[in-house]
Amino acid sequence: MVRILVTGGAGYIGGHVLSALRERGDDLVVVDDLSSGIPGRLEPGELRTMSLTAPDAALRIASILEAEDVEAVMHFAARKAVAESVARPAWYYAENLGGLASLLQGMESAGVDRLIFSSSAAVYGRTE
């Protein structure tokens, strides 16, 4: 059994990954801001509600990783609406890259060096 932190675990992809990890017997902690996720996908006690772009996000992530004795992180938290990303590119940059930077800083501080990073299929192909 591995103790894993899953960012964006209340989302569609994150929720499916959580199901597979639970079946495997892993111990899970979820970080999600619930801006588009569904809390019903989570088990009681798994959720730590926070935004990865909050000013104190790196410190909070490090604290969670240390307190929960996390060994690995799976990162699914990101904005993904194509039309919105075209309308608000700077905000998307800050949300997605800034959130990832906070996560990586928190991981470095806590000494967690195992990361699986997932990107949405929404970043591929042409849109109208």
Side-chain angles (χ1 to χ4, degrees):
M1 174 171 36
V2 177
R3 184 79 162 155
I4 302 170
L5 183 137
V6 179
T7 67
Y12 180 77
I13 294 171
H16 281 83
V17 169
L18 288 177
S19 293
L21 294 172
R22 281 188 203 109
E23 276 186 35
R24 195 173 84 165
D26 291 316
D27 202 9
L28 306 170
V29 178
V30 174
V31 168
D32 201 300
D33 68 2
L34 299 179
S35 61
S36 62
I38 299 170
R41 293 183 172 132
L42 308 175
E43 298 289 327
E46 285 180 338
L47 180 63
R48 309 300 181 274
T49 306
M50 66 170 286
S51 169
L52 293 176
T53 60
D56 64 346
L59 290 173
R60 290 182 65 193
I61 287 293
S63 177
I64 292 167
L65 293 170
E66 291 169 352
E68 300 291 342
D69 202 25
V70 169
E71 301 169 62
V73 174
M74 298 180 84
H75 182 50
F76 302 105
R79 305 288 175 193
K80 64 185 181 314
V82 175
E84 186 179 45
S85 73
V86 171
R88 302 176 69 188
W91 183 73
Y92 259 67
Y93 183 88
E95 287 287 304
N96 290 341
L97 294 178
L100 175 60
S102 292
L103 178 64
L104 293 173
Q105 289 169 351
M107 289 176 66
E108 182 177 46
S109 293
V112 176
D113 62 0
R114 296 166 64 190
L115 173 68
I116 293 176
F117 176 83
S118 175
S119 180
S120 168
V123 300
Y124 302 103
R126 295 177 184 237
T127 64
E128 295 300 319

